[in-house]
């Protein structure tokens, strides 16, 4: 199974290629980027087998992007995708794996993936698991796992079984050594390996998976998650964070979906040390998304919707003085002066209780004229 990225500034092209790759049953994970710079940052931190790059992009030309990606990982295979065939010779001069013309077809992509397998000496992939075995995994606001159409969450054998499953879902791909060092640190090596294998067995048993198929794919060195075999709120949320564009026509749709997905902190109630930083990053990403949405609404003259987003931020981070200022300013513009004063009072009380300080002079100046 391959790990892929798609980089294309045309969203419809991204969606088409993503659907084709998903249907191929050869891709374990596929991350999409409308911004080439985000793709570079992703490859810095994540292993990728094959990259599908649009050539004509406004920020970074696909040829230049491929050079940057290969500097990070020279084992990465590059496939150029474009609506024009004038770049074909240049593409192959750069030792690209293949060159696809838009609109991309499933048959043509299949030939590309076959070429990849042949070069890497990989066998043909096995059929994907039955849809009946699909899992739904919810990591925000706790940990819940559902199988098929069942509405009751599965019960895993023990807290350690839950933790290993959550760890694998969060990591996507991880070596056995890293798992042992994280979850069974300090334990005698032979016993730690035995614990890992037995815990993995109990996970598979609980989710109705055999070694031959399912969302968990393991070999002697690493364990990875086949994202096609499950529906995970974390994966969907991270895709939204990557794809969001403040002035896009899909702004409202994306934000509503993000709010529905982010039901609470990652793995809330689970005291997993390894998850703390990830949870903080996701919360920060969600807050940034809300702020981008709010400022986008202001640019469009949608003051009430902007106020909603500002208030959602303040529910999660009551000490955001900059957001408090924006919320008060919008309330004043809307003529809701009493609410503006109440908003200021709440902010002042939080700052005094938590930090022992008063709101900044710019906020005080904003509300001074409102007091009787």
């Amino acid at each position: 199974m391959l790990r892929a990225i798609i980089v294309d500034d045309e969203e419809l092209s991204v969606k088409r290629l993503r659907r084709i790759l998903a249907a191929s049953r050869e891709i374990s994970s596929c991350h999409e980027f409308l911004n080439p710079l985000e793709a570079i940052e992703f490859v810095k931190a994540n292993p990728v087998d094959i990259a599908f790059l649009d050539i004509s992009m406004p920020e970074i030309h696909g040829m230049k992007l491929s050079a940057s990606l290969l500097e990070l990982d020279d084992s990465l295979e590059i496939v150029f995708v474009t609506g024009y065939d004038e770049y074909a010779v240049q593409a192959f001069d750069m030792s690209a794996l293949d060159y696809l013309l838009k609109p991309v077809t499933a048959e043509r992509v299949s030939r590309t993936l076959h070429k990849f397998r042949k070069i890497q000496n990989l066998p043909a992939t096995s059929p994907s698991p039955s849809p009946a075995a699909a899992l739904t995994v919810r990591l925000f606001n706790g940990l819940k796992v559902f199988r098929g159409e069942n509405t009751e969450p599965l019960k895993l054998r023990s807290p350690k079984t839950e933790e290993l499953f959550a760890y694998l879902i969060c990591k996507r791909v991880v070596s056995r050594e890293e798992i042992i060092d994280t979850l069974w640190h300090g334990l005698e090596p032979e016993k730690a390996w035995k614990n890992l294998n037995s815990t993995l067995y109990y996970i598979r048993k609980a989710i109705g998976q055999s070694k031959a198929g399912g969302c968990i794919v393991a070999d002697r060195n690493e364990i990875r998650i086949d994202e096609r075999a499950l529906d995970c709120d974390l994966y969907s949320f991270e895709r939204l964070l990557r794809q969001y564009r403040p002035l896009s026509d899909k702004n409202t749709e994306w934000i509503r979906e993000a709010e529905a997905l982010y039901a609470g902190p990652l793995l809330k109630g689970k005291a997993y040390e390894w998850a703390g930083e990830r949870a903080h990053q996701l919360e920060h990403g969600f807050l940034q998304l809300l702020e981008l949405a709010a400022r986008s609404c202001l640019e469009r003259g949608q003051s009430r919707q902007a106020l909603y987003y500002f208030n959602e931020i303040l529910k999660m981070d009551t000490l955001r003085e900059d957001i408090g200022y924006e919320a008060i300013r919008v309330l004043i513009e809307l003529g809701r002066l009493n609410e503006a004063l109440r908003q200021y009072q709440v902010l002042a009380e939080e700052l005094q209780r938590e930090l022992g300080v008063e709101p900044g002079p710019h906020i005080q100046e904003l509300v001074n004229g409102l007091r009787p």
Side-chain angles (χ1 to χ4, degrees):
M1 300 295 290
L2 308 180
R3 296 162 294 195
I5 61 170
I6 302 171
V7 188
D8 193 324
D9 63 326
E10 296 179 359
E11 189 174 352
L12 290 178
S13 296
V14 171
K15 287 183 176 180
R16 179 182 180 88
L17 181 53
R18 181 181 62 210
R19 285 196 299 268
I20 292 173
L21 290 175
S24 75
R25 301 179 178 178
E26 300 194 34
I27 306 296
S28 62
S29 65
C30 184
H31 298 272
E32 308 93 36
F33 303 93
L34 301 176
N35 184 340
L37 297 177
E38 294 177 359
I40 293 174
E41 291 303 313
F42 179 82
V43 173
K44 286 180 180 178
N46 299 276
V48 175
D49 299 308
I50 186 169
F52 294 84
L53 310 181
D54 182 35
I55 291 181
S56 301
M57 293 183 289
E59 295 186 31
I60 299 180
H61 194 274
M63 300 290 184
K64 182 178 179 180
L65 174 60
S66 71
S68 298
L69 296 179
L70 289 171
E71 284 181 6
L72 297 172
D73 183 357
D74 59 7
S75 69
L76 177 63
E77 294 288 355
I78 301 293
V79 178
F80 288 112
V81 185
T82 183
Y84 309 95
D85 60 5
E86 61 192 77
Y87 298 105
V89 173
Q90 185 180 356
F92 287 117
D93 282 345
M94 297 184 68
S95 299
L97 173 69
D98 211 343
Y99 180 89
L100 303 179
L101 282 175
K102 298 179 181 178
V104 177
T105 65
E107 180 182 1
R108 187 64 183 84
V109 171
S110 177
R111 287 159 52 193
T112 299
L113 296 176
H114 175 75
K115 183 183 293 189
F116 180 91
R117 289 197 308 273
K118 188 174 181 180
I119 291 174
Q120 299 291 332
N121 196 27
L122 297 174
T125 55
S126 57
S128 63
S130 165
L135 290 180
T136 300
V137 180
R138 297 292 174 255
L139 300 183
F140 288 116
N141 205 39
L143 171 62
K144 291 183 179 179
V145 185
F146 305 88
R147 186 171 62 205
E149 301 297 323
N150 294 337
T151 57
E152 288 296 320
L154 296 177
K155 291 184 179 180
L156 299 179
R157 178 184 174 89
S158 66
K160 186 59 73 175
T161 309
E162 290 183 349
E163 184 174 10
L164 175 59
F165 185 67
Y167 187 75
L168 294 175
I169 296 293
C170 288
K171 284 287 186 175
R172 288 182 171 87
V173 181
V174 61
S175 69
R176 288 178 179 266
E177 287 82 1
E178 182 178 336
I179 296 172
I180 287 173
D181 188 57
T182 303
L183 272 62
W184 286 280
H185 181 71
L187 199 62
E188 190 273 326
E190 184 176 348
K191 187 173 183 180
W193 278 82
K194 183 178 180 181
N195 283 355
L196 170 56
N197 289 331
S198 62
T199 306
L200 190 60
Y201 164 79
Y202 287 121
I203 292 174
R204 282 176 161 151
K205 184 177 180 181
I207 65 178
Q209 171 187 317
S210 68
K211 288 186 178 180
C215 68
I216 301 175
V217 182
D219 58 31
R220 295 180 61 184
N221 299 314
E222 70 178 22
I223 302 174
R224 60 182 173 79
I225 296 297
D226 180 355
E227 296 183 27
R228 298 173 305 118
L230 54 80
D231 169 24
C232 179
D233 56 353
L234 173 62
Y235 299 167
S236 299
F237 182 76
E238 289 181 328
R239 280 194 293 271
L240 283 174
L241 290 183
R242 291 192 301 270
Q243 295 173 353
Y244 180 80
R245 297 293 180 275
L247 298 179
S248 168
D249 290 336
K250 294 189 65 177
N251 181 308
T252 301
E253 177 186 337
W254 276 336
I255 291 295
R256 286 177 179 171
E257 188 174 350
E259 287 185 283
L261 290 167
Y262 195 88
L266 182 75
L267 294 167
K268 182 179 180 180
K270 306 292 182 181
Y272 303 152
E273 291 186 12
W274 54 265
E277 180 60 26
R278 184 79 172 276
H280 175 74
Q281 291 172 353
L282 290 166
E283 180 178 286
H284 180 68
F286 184 53
L287 290 172
Q288 282 188 316
L289 193 65
L290 291 175
E291 185 173 354
L292 284 171
R295 299 194 185 283
S296 176
C297 287
L298 288 180
E299 291 181 17
R300 296 171 182 234
Q302 300 169 339
S303 298
R304 288 179 174 79
Q305 188 63 34
L307 180 62
Y308 166 78
Y309 290 131
F310 286 137
N311 283 332
E312 289 300 298
I313 295 171
L314 290 171
K315 288 178 184 177
M316 298 175 62
D317 189 351
T318 58
L319 301 179
R320 283 289 300 273
E321 197 169 347
D322 58 330
I323 299 300
Y325 173 85
E326 295 292 349
I328 294 168
R329 185 176 63 80
V330 172
L331 284 169
I332 293 174
E333 289 180 358
L334 293 173
R336 294 156 62 173
L337 306 185
N338 289 334
E339 290 181 53
L341 284 172
R342 285 198 296 271
Q343 187 98 34
Y344 172 81
Q345 189 61 39
V346 169
L347 177 63
E349 290 173 357
E350 286 292 322
L351 289 172
Q352 185 62 46
R353 179 170 57 252
E354 298 294 331
L355 303 178
V357 299
E358 294 182 351
H362 62 298
I363 301 182
Q364 295 186 34
E365 181 179 347
L366 189 65
V367 299
N368 277 341
L370 303 179
R371 294 190 177 95

